[in-house]
């Protein structure tokens, strides 16, 4: 038995070289293939001048680097983690699985997988190791599966949602070709417009409740109609670029969505905090992961309802202020229609929803492959099936309804985004702003130096240099030097 145990725990110095070389070659080959695929995507996006997607791939690389660091940290510190000893009674509380066989088998599994030396150190003190080697290894795999699942689900959501948004290109092309707006403008009753008839439900408390109910159910069918797109597009153009009625609103919207993708695909620090909290609450009998599955669903329905209600508020603002309008119906974008006056909150909520949904799916498949379907940590079938169904509903609803709604409705804020300019204009404007900021800073430092520093203590050469530096960028260089 002892010899058999020594063979199972053979170190690298007693492992055949051909096995070491074979395993190392396979790992390196897979890593190189993954790196080459990412490099190919980066070069493709750079060649097609798609900077937002290029930055999103860089964000994925950052996440992979973080995973690599977590992996390295767990590997290097696993010995020290095992050397941390705690009271045996502490290991019997807040268990994912509660059973006599499980409790009795905990010590045995730690002896087999945790390294005898580390276990003996704790046993000699009458204590138990904090975490076994097997548990560290399984946690390691779960973190990796979670991150990869989140990236895959985010990409899938953007692809499906982007396909839905690309269908609106036909509406944009039709608007660009339409020249009917060049004729005489007619005065129309606001209630004759389809946009008002569809979204305005009247004035009063009952009408507000009816409007919210209509917004809730509309996200499940035809979340954005052609009339919605045409009206919001015109409202954006008349507010932010009145001089360019042929502005390509569809292309601008896609650029904004691609820019937001690099935010969605990452895993922010507060998402890792939620992971830790969820792992802490995974106690036997609580069915935490079943109840947690409802959080992203409720948030997704709330976000979709709010976005639809923003459209209804745009219609209500026009219907309450005007009885008739001349020409086309024009809505007025405003941040007041969004939660706390910040449209950006919607993006954070979508980010959390996608991550939480990926967490649920990743946790299920990790348990399935690690412990099996009949494991106690998997739970009862009655709790498993609803979680999977909810995850599928969230993925489809977010892709085909909420994300397209987000893409167009969040443009109805008080301010436009930098993506309204093309890439070259963005770089020029940002460069100009940076130079202006630097110039302003030099002038402030120059004024502070002249008011606080005596001429004799600074010296003539220093004084001339401080005055000339901002003067090179101004139009009054001769007067400043004088």
């Amino acid at each position: 038995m002892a010899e058999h145990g020594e063979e199972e725990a053979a170190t690298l110095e007693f492992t055949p070289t051909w096995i070491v070389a074979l395993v190392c070659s396979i790992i390196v080959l897979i890593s190189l293939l993954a790196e080459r695929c990412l490099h190919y995507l980066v070069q493709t996006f750079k060649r097609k001048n798609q900077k937002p997607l290029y930055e999103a791939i860089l964000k994925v690389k950052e996440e992979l680097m973080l995973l690599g660091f977590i992996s390295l940290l767990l590997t290097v510190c696993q010995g020290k983690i095992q050397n941390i000893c705690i009271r045996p009674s502490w290991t019997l509380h807040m268990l994912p699985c509660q059973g006599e066989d499980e409790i009795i088998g905990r010590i045995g599994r730690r002896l087999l997988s945790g390294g005898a030396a580390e276990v003996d150190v704790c046993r000699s003190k009458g204590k138990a190791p904090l975490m076994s080697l097997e548990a560290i290894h399984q946690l390691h795999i779960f973190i990796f599966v979670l991150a990869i699942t989140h990236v895959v689900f985010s990409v899938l959501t953007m692809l499906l949602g982007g396909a839905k948004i690309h269908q609106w290109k036909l509406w944009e092309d039709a608007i660009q070709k339409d020249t009917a707006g060049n004729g005489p403008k007619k005065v129309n009753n606001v209630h004759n417009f389809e946009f008002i008839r569809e979204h305005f439900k009247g004035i009063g408390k009952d009408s507000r409740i009816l409007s919210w109910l209509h917004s809730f159910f509309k996200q499940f069918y035809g979340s954005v109609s052609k009339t919605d797109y045409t009206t919001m597009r015109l409202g954006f153009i008349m507010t932010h670029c009145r001089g360019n009625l042929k502005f390509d609103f569809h292309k601008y919207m896609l650029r904004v969505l691609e820019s937001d993708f690099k935010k969605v695909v990452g895993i922010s620090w507060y998402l890792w905090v939620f992971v830790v909290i969820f792992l802490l609450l995974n106690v036997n009998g609580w069915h935490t992961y079943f109840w947690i599955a409802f959080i992203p669903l409720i948030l997704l329905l709330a976000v979709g309802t709010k976005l639809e209600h923003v459209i209804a508020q745009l219609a209500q603002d026009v219907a309450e202020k005007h009885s008739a309008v001349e020409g086309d119906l024009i809505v007025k974008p405003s941040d007041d229609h969004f939660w706390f006056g910040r449209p950006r909150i919607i993006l954070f909520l979508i980010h959390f929803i996608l991550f939480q949904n990926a967490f649920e799916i990743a946790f299920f498949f990790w348990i399935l492959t690690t412990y099996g379907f009949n494991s106690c940590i998997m739970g009862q079938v009655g709790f498993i099936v609803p979680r999977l169904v909810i995850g599928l509903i969230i993925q489809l609803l977010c892709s085909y309804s909420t994300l397209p709604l987000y893409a167009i409705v969040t443009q109805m804020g008080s301010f436009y985004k930098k993506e309204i300019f093309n890439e070259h204009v963005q770089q020029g404007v940002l460069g100009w702003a940076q130079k202006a900021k630097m110039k302003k800073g030099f002038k402030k430092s120059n004024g502070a130096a002249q008011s606080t520093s005596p001429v004799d203590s600074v010296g003539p050469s220093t004084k001339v240099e401080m005055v000339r530096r901002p003067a090179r960028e101004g139009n009054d260089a001769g007067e400043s030097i004088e």
Side-chain angles (χ1 to χ4, degrees), residues 302-321:
V303 168
T305 303
K306 179 60 179 177
L307 291 174
E308 287 286 358
H309 192 251
V310 169
I311 303 178
Q313 286 178 298
L314 293 173
Q316 184 174 353
D317 287 347
V318 177
E320 289 181 350
K321 295 178 181 178

Side-chain angles (χ1 to χ4, degrees), residues 393-458:
I393 292 175
I394 291 173
Q395 188 64 36
L396 295 178
L397 185 61
C398 187
S399 300
Y400 288 107
S401 177
T402 309
L403 187 66
L405 266 174
Y406 164 81
I408 187 170
V409 175
T410 51
Q411 311 311 323
M412 296 297 101
S414 302
F415 305 96
Y416 59 81
K417 300 178 177 64
K418 69 178 187 301
E419 284 76 19
I420 196 172
F421 308 108
N422 60 36
E423 184 65 25
H424 300 292
V425 176
Q426 285 185 41
Q427 293 178 356
V429 171
L430 292 176
W432 172 82
Q434 187 176 7
K435 289 181 179 179
K437 187 175 181 180
M438 293 176 61
K439 183 177 180 180
K440 185 177 179 180
F442 280 132
K443 287 183 177 180
K444 286 184 177 180
S445 62
N446 179 30
Q450 288 182 344
S451 61
T452 58
S453 301
V455 176
D456 295 337
S457 62
V458 176

Side-chain angles (χ1 to χ4, degrees), residues 347-373:
L347 180 62
F348 287 102
L349 291 176
I350 292 178
H351 189 195
F352 174 76
I353 290 168
L354 291 177
F355 178 80
Q356 176 59 28
N357 193 48
F359 176 84
E360 284 286 330
I361 303 300
F363 188 76
F364 169 78
F365 283 105
W366 173 70
I367 293 177
L368 182 64
T369 56
T370 304
Y371 303 103
F373 188 81

Side-chain angles (χ1 to χ4, degrees), residues 81-102:
I81 294 175
Q82 286 180 289
N83 283 331
I84 300 176
C85 302
I86 60 176
R87 295 179 181 178
S89 59
W90 290 4
T91 64
L92 305 180
H93 300 287
M94 299 184 70
L95 294 174
C97 291
Q98 187 71 39
E100 187 175 348
D101 295 337
E102 290 290 335

Side-chain angles (χ1 to χ4, degrees), residues 36 51 78 88 115 171 183 206 232 267 283 289 341 343-344 350 398 420 455:
R36 285 293 92 190
K51 185 178 179 181
Q78 63 184 13
W171 301 341
D206 295 338
M232 286 188 284
I267 303 180
V283 180
Y289 289 100
R344 197 71 176 173
I350 292 178
C398 187
I420 196 172
V455 176

